[in-house]
Amino acid sequence: MIVEQIWTGNNYRNFNYLIVCPETGEAMAIDPLDHEKCLAKAKEKGWQITQVLNTHEHGDHTGGNRQVIAATGAKLLAHANAKDSIRGIDRGLVAGDVIKVGKTVEIEAMDTPGHTMCHICLKTHTDQPSLFSGDTLFNAGAGNCHNGGHPEQMYETFAKQLDVLPDDTLLYPGHEYLIGNLKFTLDREPDNERARELLAEVENQDPDQALVTTMGQEKEVNTFFRLRSRSVIEELRKSFPDLPNDPTPREVFLKLRELRNSW
């Protein structure tokens, strides 16, 4: 499997992706907002885009659908319940559906509500597993729930689906927010030395050559996985004095998400 991460350079800091079968050159475009860059990269490499997949319905993820499909004749895939919010879906996906790209690539759809209620993430059936997480999971952060989502559902997605992924899973999110998210981690967990070291490593990184983290790293530096950390809980209590002495992971997650909204 070939993964081409495309930095859009826009104000929203979107990443677009091409997933390619190396044997046939067939490609799937994920959230190809910058249709010009996606089409140009495919042309440069000699790849044929045969499928477009939207992780969710927001315009900064669906905005390039029409142009890519017009240029390639690709089929459009999205969450099965997004048919009223994403026009022209050819295949509605539910949890466990497998998407094939060319002869060699298989990708499994995960139903991951929270950012929106019609959000999917994608995990690959490859020796080196990868997760394409849209706006659910970011490097060192979690998606917001402002426009059609719910933090309770986001917690369930993190706890039951993301936290159990293998540590060597590579993470490919929908936006580049790593530096800001690491600063939030350190604000919430000042003694997280791994987050401090990583921030120093990436503070001047070129988004065109962005660091690809693993789920193992995320569990070290992403506050939204560190729900039992005593440092996180004690810092949280400064903002929420009524927090129980031994809060549940759910309670910690929801308070962190609330703080991140205005941080």
Side-chain angles (χ1 to χ4, degrees):
M1 180 181 73
I2 300 168
V3 176
E4 188 72 30
Q5 185 178 62
I6 297 172
W7 166 241
T8 63
N10 66 3
N11 290 336
Y12 297 109
R13 304 185 68 81
N14 288 80
F15 281 131
N16 300 167
Y17 295 96
L18 298 177
I19 299 177
V20 188
C21 170
E23 186 174 321
T24 66
E26 292 178 58
M28 180 170 71
I30 299 178
D31 294 337
L33 173 65
D34 194 327
H35 55 91
E36 293 180 349
K37 285 187 177 179
C38 291
L39 291 169
K41 180 59 67 173
K43 182 177 180 180
E44 172 195 335
K45 298 287 190 177
W47 299 331
Q48 180 185 6
I49 298 173
T50 58
Q51 298 175 87
V52 169
L53 186 144
N54 293 146
T55 58
H56 62 291
E57 66 269 28
H58 290 161
D60 62 319
H61 293 257
T62 65
N65 288 358
R66 180 176 56 81
Q67 295 91 335
V68 173
I69 291 169
T72 64
K75 300 296 185 182
L76 179 60
L77 289 69
H79 195 291
N81 293 336
K83 59 184 181 299
D84 294 329
S85 54
I86 299 176
R87 296 180 58 184
I89 296 174
D90 295 295
R91 180 182 176 187
L93 299 170
V94 299
D97 280 353
V98 173
I99 304 138
K100 294 185 177 181
V101 182
K103 293 182 179 179
T104 63
V105 179
E106 288 192 353
I107 303 166
E108 182 179 338
M110 303 167 64
D111 190 348
T112 52
H115 178 64
T116 75
M117 302 310 286
C118 296
H119 194 296
I120 59 172
C121 292
L122 304 164
K123 59 182 178 181
T124 63
H125 293 177
T126 47
D127 291 338
Q128 170 68 73
S130 298
L131 177 74
F132 297 85
S133 58
D135 284 6
T136 295
L137 172 63
F138 299 127
N139 299 122
N144 67 52
C145 305
H146 299 322
N147 298 297
H150 198 286
E152 291 273 2
Q153 293 297 324
M154 181 73 81
Y155 169 74
E156 293 292 325
T157 289
F158 266 65
K160 295 181 179 178
Q161 298 194 66
L162 303 183
D163 197 34
V164 299
L165 292 172
D167 283 352
D168 64 341
T169 303
L170 298 174
L171 174 60
Y172 294 101
H175 296 265
E176 198 291 300
Y177 296 151
L178 176 57
I179 292 170
N181 285 336
L182 285 172
K183 290 179 179 179
F184 179 73
T185 290
L186 290 168
D187 184 69
R188 296 292 88 212
E189 191 179 13
D191 59 352
N192 189 322
E193 290 304 317
R194 185 64 194 104
R196 195 174 305 281
E197 292 167 2
L198 186 58
L199 179 59
E201 290 174 22
V202 302
E203 247 180 328
N204 297 310
Q205 79 167 0
D206 178 357
D208 269 318
Q209 303 293 327
L211 174 71
V212 178
T213 63
T214 65
M215 290 302 298
Q217 286 176 292
E218 290 298 317
K219 291 167 189 176
E220 293 178 334
V221 304
N222 190 325
T223 312
F224 292 93
F225 287 116
R226 300 184 59 75
L227 307 178
R228 299 184 187 277
S229 163
R230 294 314 306 176
S231 295
V232 169
I233 292 168
E234 290 311 311
E235 287 295 319
L236 203 56
R237 187 167 282 113
K238 294 177 184 178
S239 300
F240 301 98
D242 58 344
L243 196 69
N245 288 332
D246 190 19
T248 65
R250 178 190 297 272
E251 289 171 319
V252 175
F253 185 98
L254 295 177
K255 294 301 187 185
L256 286 170
R257 184 60 267 173
E258 183 179 339
L259 279 178
R260 189 66 177 91
N261 290 340
S262 57
W263 187 83

